[in-house]
Amino acid sequence: MWAALRLAPRPCARALIPRPRAYHGDSPGRLGTQLDLGSAVYQENYEQMKALVDQLHERAEKIRLGGSQKARERHISRGKLLARERVDNLIDPGSPFLELSQFAGYKLYVNEEVPAGSIITGIGRVSGVECMIIANDATIKGGTYYPVTVKKHLRAQEIAMQNRLPCIYLVDSGGANLPFQADIFPDRDHFGRIFYNQAIMSSQNIAQVKAATKEEVSAEDLGGADLHCRKSGVTDYYALDDYHALHLTRKIVKNLNYQKKLDVTIEPSEDPLFPADELYGIVGTNLKRQFDVREVIARIVDGSRFSEFKALYGDTLVTGIKLSEK
């Protein structure tokens, strides 16, 4: 009997017809709802927030001017470009400039205005290479360093070091602002740290390019291009004017043989499903008025796609990741 059972034919598993696997729908989760744009709350929020944003833009525009009208005119009369003009002529045509800490120094010193902390820092593309650009603004107290200038300069170097960005220094500075020297020179993270960071980044093969525009002091024989190119050997290139200095800088960066390698996949950006200016009506300026932060996220992330996790736990905080289109 056992032999008969062993010999009896049994169905072969391979002969079974495979059933299609059933997956849950893979459509991306999307946030956001259509708002009642005519409601009194929305209109009040919108008007108040837009007024604040307009004020922010006005102040930013004033900061971008740099020093006083008189200081700018004096600077231009010497055949020099303004600091922001230098940056604009340095970066690749049509490319963006990501400025950092634009409001540094805003109303920080009671009796003095220090627009942008007396120094412009940001990331721009030069000859196809993303670089950290640090430019003194000589229309603000001769480009001298305030304590906040040092902080801003060091922060830019820190970002460059973390992201391996070549640094370009457009130097037009009168050195330290002496009334504030007690907060500029002595400590570990004060003025001397700038040169320490340059040495460290150079040792890590992160290029440091310095373009000294015109003279660093008034007298040519005390510190101009002729002295440093012919006698001291401190400088490598002789620039005839600002435009020539920027041209030489672009050539130097082009010959760095440096290419940034990204370990991420870059996808084209996509607009949210809802207009961004609706954020004014959602948030407003009344800090006692509640709003749904998911409506904010829906007007920021690409395609309003968002995968929320721990949605039912700690519901006073929304966490999640932006979903890709795929």
Side-chain angles (χ1 to χ4, degrees):
M1 179 178 177
W2 285 106
L5 288 175
R6 283 198 298 269
L7 295 174
R10 289 178 293 176
C12 178
R14 295 180 181 174
L16 295 176
I17 300 175
R19 297 178 181 176
R21 293 190 177 103
Y23 293 100
H24 192 276
D26 207 20
S27 59
R30 297 184 187 271
L31 288 180
T33 61
Q34 294 292 339
L35 302 175
D36 181 5
L37 306 186
S39 72
V41 171
Y42 180 90
Q43 290 293 330
E44 181 184 346
N45 283 346
Y46 191 99
E47 292 172 6
Q48 292 177 350
M49 181 58 76
K50 190 174 187 306
L52 276 183
V53 173
D54 289 344
Q55 183 186 71
L56 177 70
H57 288 315
E58 289 173 4
R59 291 175 177 174
E61 187 61 34
K62 183 179 179 181
I63 286 172
R64 281 192 287 269
L65 290 175
S68 65
Q69 180 67 26
K70 181 179 179 180
R72 296 196 301 273
E73 290 175 354
R74 183 169 60 248
H75 186 85
I76 295 171
S77 69
R78 295 170 176 169
K80 295 183 176 185
L81 293 172
L82 296 172
R84 292 182 185 276
E85 292 177 333
R86 288 171 177 164
V87 173
D88 190 57
N89 280 274
L90 173 66
I91 60 178
D92 294 348
S95 67
F97 177 66
L98 178 60
E99 185 172 354
L100 306 173
S101 312
Q102 190 178 60
F103 277 81
Y106 180 71
K107 292 188 175 180
L108 180 60
Y109 303 103
V110 178
N111 299 320
E112 298 184 51
E113 286 192 15
V114 190
S118 184
I119 195 170
I120 300 166
T121 63
I123 301 171
R125 192 173 297 118
V126 179
S127 297
V129 179
E130 288 179 349
C131 300
M132 176 64 73
I133 300 169
I134 300 173
N136 300 113
D137 190 340
T139 67
I140 306 167
K141 292 288 184 178
T144 55
Y145 274 67
Y146 290 75
V148 71
T149 316
V150 176
K151 281 181 174 288
K152 185 172 176 178
H153 194 143
L154 292 177
R155 177 59 180 151
Q157 288 184 319
E158 181 183 8
I159 293 171
M161 199 178 306
Q162 291 171 346
N163 295 276
R164 298 196 61 80
L165 299 173
C167 291
I168 298 174
Y169 304 91
L170 303 180
V171 182
D172 196 355
S173 171
N177 192 305
L178 294 182
F180 295 94
Q181 60 183 305
D183 296 316
I184 292 176
F185 285 120
D187 211 345
R188 175 182 180 273
D189 291 321
H190 281 176
F191 196 84
R193 189 77 179 186
I194 293 171
F195 308 103
Y196 171 84
N197 287 343
Q198 288 179 335
I200 293 297
M201 284 190 279
S202 292
S203 70
Q204 296 174 353
N205 293 321
I206 302 175
Q208 310 290 296
V209 181
K210 177 181 177 182
T213 53
K214 293 286 184 180
E215 304 91 5
E216 289 190 43
V217 293
S218 57
E220 171 65 33
D221 56 355
L222 288 180
D226 197 67
L227 169 72
H228 291 310
C229 284
R230 295 181 187 276
K231 296 182 179 180
S232 72
V234 169
T235 56
D236 300 320
Y237 300 92
Y238 191 108
L240 301 176
D241 54 27
D242 281 17
Y243 289 106
H244 189 208
L246 298 174
H247 169 71
L248 292 174
T249 304
R250 289 181 54 81
K251 285 182 64 177
I252 293 169
V253 174
K254 186 177 182 180
N255 292 321
L256 288 178
N257 192 26
Y258 178 87
Q259 185 175 6
K260 186 177 178 180
K261 296 180 180 179
L262 300 177
D263 296 328
V264 296
T265 301
I266 298 179
E267 298 178 353
S269 61
E270 180 183 355
D271 290 335
L273 298 180
F274 307 93
D277 69 339
E278 290 182 358
L279 291 169
Y280 298 164
I282 296 171
V283 179
T285 60
N286 188 343
L287 300 181
K288 296 181 180 179
R289 183 174 289 162
Q290 296 182 345
F291 59 88
D292 187 352
V293 74
R294 293 174 183 83
E295 297 291 353
V296 173
I297 297 172
R299 288 156 179 83
I300 295 176
V301 300
D302 287 16
S304 301
R305 293 185 299 272
F306 186 73
S307 176
E308 185 176 352
F309 58 88
K310 285 190 178 293
L312 303 179
Y313 179 81
D315 55 7
T316 59
L317 181 68
V318 175
T319 57
I321 59 173
K322 180 193 79 68
L323 293 174
S324 64
E325 189 174 3
K326 298 178 181 178

